[in-house]
Amino acid sequence: MLNKRQYHTGGPFRADQLHSGDPYELDDGHPIECLPSGGRHAKANLSGGLALETDPDVTAAGFDTGFTPDEKNLRAPDIAVGNVPDEPGWVSGAPPLAVEYADVGQDEPDLQAKIRTLLGAGTRYVWVVRLTGVRRVEVYEPHASPSLAYPGQELEAPGILANPVPVEALYDPDAAHETALRNLLQRRGYPDLDAVREEGREEGKLAIVLHLLRRAVGPIPENDSQRIRQLDRDGLAALAEALLDFHATSDLAAWLKRHV
């Protein structure tokens, strides 16, 4: 573990000399002191993590995860998506997607060095969320010029994320909640919230038809109940109309025989 005296010697140091909780990263063996973030940075970081970690294609993500592409470098993106194992210690390599938040007091030379290290170690996208001035996201990719995305636009990371990410979802809690809700519904097999509402309406219609059938013919045999549940929307509507003429379970069975 590095102490303050060692830190001020400037190194070079190795990643294995640092331990979890040390307030340093390493850039080519030289320590970079990492201090706590302010409130705006912390809130934005939490929002972005929620929006990204819930994406249907994401199996692992983390905050401030330490990555060691080699023994002289240790870098911890604010958010890492992918290559975050549930194990102690530094993680070899780099995350496929890294997100950094830049607020007041950002050390720009260190930020650019961090981006170069991550891209050189295999990171495919680095998104830098600028919290000062006009909100925007700088997108860095290997062997490409940086690009900008602004509120109202979306970011994509093919092969890493299933869904595009609204720029606002990386710092605004409301936008992050909406994005996370969409993602979580898709993880459960629903394309969106409207599909959940529609399923609820259909389940409600089915419950009403079953209730009316029991009033008309008495207990419904399990086999017939299963066949009723196989009816589509039009079939259920037809049964609701036909049951007005039912007097016994045999009437229901005969109708199902003709229509299912």
Side-chain angles (χ1 to χ4, degrees), residues 25 41 64 76-79 98-102 106 111 114-115 118 126-130:
E25 296 182 13
H41 181 289
D64 297 323
D78 288 328
I79 302 173
V99 182
E100 284 288 311
Y101 287 84
Q106 175 67 53
L111 176 60
K114 188 172 187 176
I115 292 169
L118 290 169
V126 177
W127 294 347
V128 177
V129 184
R130 295 288 180 176

Side-chain angles (χ1 to χ4, degrees), residues 6-258:
Q6 288 175 311
Y7 167 74
H8 287 294
T9 67
F13 300 104
R14 301 186 313 276
D16 60 11
Q17 292 178 273
L18 291 171
H19 302 282
S20 181
D22 286 347
Y24 305 106
E25 296 182 13
L26 287 181
D27 178 37
D28 197 27
H30 300 288
I32 306 294
E33 190 169 20
C34 301
L35 300 176
S37 61
R40 179 167 63 180
H41 181 289
K43 287 190 68 175
N45 200 348
L46 184 62
S47 294
L50 176 66
L52 295 172
E53 190 274 337
T54 54
D55 183 272
D57 281 357
V58 172
T59 58
F63 293 115
D64 297 323
T65 308
F67 291 89
T68 54
D70 56 64
E71 65 176 12
K72 293 184 178 181
N73 286 284
L74 172 64
R75 286 301 194 173
D78 288 328
I79 302 173
V81 179
N83 190 27
V84 182
D86 188 14
E87 300 173 359
W90 308 133
V91 181
S92 298
L97 169 62
V99 182
E100 284 288 311
Y101 287 84
D103 206 344
V104 176
Q106 175 67 53
D107 185 324
E108 288 297 329
D110 175 54
L111 176 60
Q112 293 302 317
K114 188 172 187 176
I115 292 169
R116 288 193 297 271
T117 298
L118 290 169
L119 293 179
T123 296
R124 293 171 53 193
Y125 301 95
V126 177
W127 294 347
V128 177
V129 184
R130 295 288 180 176
L131 299 176
T132 56
V134 176
R135 294 290 172 91
R136 62 205 183 278
V137 177
E138 297 169 357
V139 178
Y140 295 84
E141 301 177 58
H143 315 300
S145 299
S147 60
L148 288 172
Y150 293 93
Q153 297 180 306
E154 294 181 326
L155 297 160
E156 295 186 349
I160 303 170
L161 302 175
N163 293 320
V165 181
V167 166
E168 298 91 328
L170 293 178
Y171 56 82
D172 179 76
D174 290 337
H177 293 162
E178 290 184 11
T179 300
L181 176 59
R182 174 201 64 187
N183 291 340
L184 292 171
L185 288 173
Q186 290 183 8
R187 283 178 175 262
R188 295 294 184 179
Y190 299 100
D192 51 35
L193 187 56
D194 287 340
V196 178
R197 294 190 178 111
E198 180 61 27
E199 181 176 292
R201 285 192 289 267
E202 294 303 317
E203 288 291 331
K205 293 175 184 177
L206 174 61
I208 291 172
V209 170
L210 290 172
H211 175 72
L212 293 175
L213 277 170
R214 295 187 188 100
R215 292 282 301 272
V217 304
I220 302 171
E222 180 61 27
N223 184 53
D224 288 344
S225 178
Q226 292 297 325
R227 296 168 75 188
I228 292 169
R229 295 177 187 278
Q230 296 173 13
L231 293 170
D232 59 17
R233 182 185 305 179
D234 293 338
L236 198 61
L239 176 59
E241 183 175 351
L243 68 82
L244 299 175
D245 298 323
F246 293 173
H247 301 288
T249 55
S250 58
D251 296 326
L252 172 61
W255 189 92
L256 289 171
K257 186 176 181 180
R258 293 194 303 270

